[in-house]
Structures are given as C-alpha cells and as structure tokens.
Amino acid sequence: MSDRPSVLFVCVHNAGRSQMAAGWLRHLAADTVEVRSAGSAPAETINPAAVQAMREVGIDITDQTPKRLEYATAESSDVIVTMGCGDSCPVFPGKRYEDWKLDDPAGKGVDAVRPIRDEIRGRVEKLLTDLNLATRPRRTPQRPPA
C-alpha cells in the first residue's frame, strides 16, 4: 500500500451507502486517501435521502454520480469495501477486503437513512485508524431537533 492508499466503496446502485461512505472518507481524511466508489448496477442518481442526511452533517455529495464498477478500478485499489454487492464484486489476491453489512437506504426516508449514515461514519473512522491515517479534526454539525 502506498503513502496515499486508495479505497473503493462498492454497493449495488452506488447511490446510497457507498456514496455516503465516500463522502465521509473525503471529509475525514482530506487528500490522504484516494476515494473511489462504484456499483454493480448503478442507479441514475444518488438517493435524495442520502444527500439530505449527509447535508445535515455538513457534507455535500451532490457533485457525485453513480458509476459502474470497473475491473481496472477494483484492481488498482488498495482497499475494497463492499456493501451488499454479492458475487458481482471481483476478488483480487493481496487486496484488503471488508464487507460492511448495512441496511440499504433505497426507498427510505431521511429518518431511516440517518442511522445508516452514522454507522458508516463509525466504520470509516475505524478504517482510517486501521490504515494508520489520522482524521482531520472537524466539528460535525448536529442535526436539528425533529
């Protein structure tokens, strides 16, 4: 693994979980990690509830678009984190793999997506610790009371 590792987040539609994970990693690690995300069957757009949930914590993912998982992207990534893509994710010897069991936010409102967002943040923080990369100190705004 290089000084600037690459992390690929993969889920089926690349519209919710993987986009939130990529948003958290960009936010917490800045330019110390190359962040990638893709899907085995990408959606047309990012899940609006995922966009709203991330916006609530000060992270804008509206500039991202779902992308198809390409063999070359997976092959050149140091860490591959899967989130429910099953057998459609290629396996490369010597790569670090993690499979994060997370609820799928597809079709859910923002109230149901917030806990998924928060769980993803914790997993991204652990991943950064495991990679021996410090997170940027940032104050994450609290969501407004319901």
Side-chain angles (χ1 to χ4, degrees), residues 3-5 25-35 133-134 136:
D3 289 341
R4 186 172 181 252
L25 187 55
R26 279 187 210 94
H27 177 78
L28 295 170
D31 60 354
T32 62
V33 176
E34 182 181 355
V35 181
L133 297 171
R136 293 193 293 188

Side-chain angles (χ1 to χ4, degrees), residues 4-55:
R4 186 172 181 252
S6 60
V7 176
L8 171 62
F9 294 104
V10 184
C11 67
V12 175
H13 298 127
N14 190 222
R17 295 168 289 189
S18 58
Q19 292 288 353
M20 288 190 290
W24 275 121
L25 187 55
R26 279 187 210 94
H27 177 78
L28 295 170
D31 60 354
T32 62
V33 176
E34 182 181 355
V35 181
R36 304 166 173 182
S37 69
S40 54
E44 294 285 320
T45 60
I46 295 180
N47 179 330
V51 170
Q52 182 179 348
M54 293 301 284
R55 185 179 296 127

Side-chain angles (χ1 to χ4, degrees), residues 9 17 20-21 24 28 53-54 57 81 83 98-105 108 112-127 143:
F9 294 104
R17 295 168 289 189
M20 288 190 290
W24 275 121
L28 295 170
M54 293 301 284
V57 294
V81 179
M83 304 172 194
E98 292 190 17
D99 184 38
W100 293 356
K101 306 278 189 230
L102 298 162
D103 289 337
D104 187 349
K108 296 181 179 170
V113 173
R114 286 182 190 118
I116 301 167
R117 172 204 65 202
D118 297 342
E119 183 174 350
I120 291 171
R121 178 187 180 144
R123 290 175 185 237
V124 167
E125 288 173 335
K126 182 181 181 325
L127 176 64
R143 65 183 148 108

Side-chain angles (χ1 to χ4, degrees), residues 51-125:
V51 170
Q52 182 179 348
M54 293 301 284
R55 185 179 296 127
E56 289 176 355
V57 294
I59 300 172
D60 183 4
I61 59 172
T62 58
D63 64 337
Q64 301 300 308
T65 57
K67 296 170 227 38
R68 176 162 303 284
L69 175 61
E70 300 290 339
Y71 182 90
T73 303
E75 183 179 39
S76 64
S77 297
D78 296 308
V79 179
I80 300 173
V81 179
T82 58
M83 304 172 194
C85 66
D87 293 336
S88 61
C89 296
V91 176
F92 297 95
K95 299 286 178 195
R96 175 179 172 167
Y97 284 88
E98 292 190 17
D99 184 38
W100 293 356
K101 306 278 189 230
L102 298 162
D103 289 337
D104 187 349
K108 296 181 179 170
V110 71
D111 289 339
V113 173
R114 286 182 190 118
I116 301 167
R117 172 204 65 202
D118 297 342
E119 183 174 350
I120 291 171
R121 178 187 180 144
R123 290 175 185 237
V124 167
E125 288 173 335

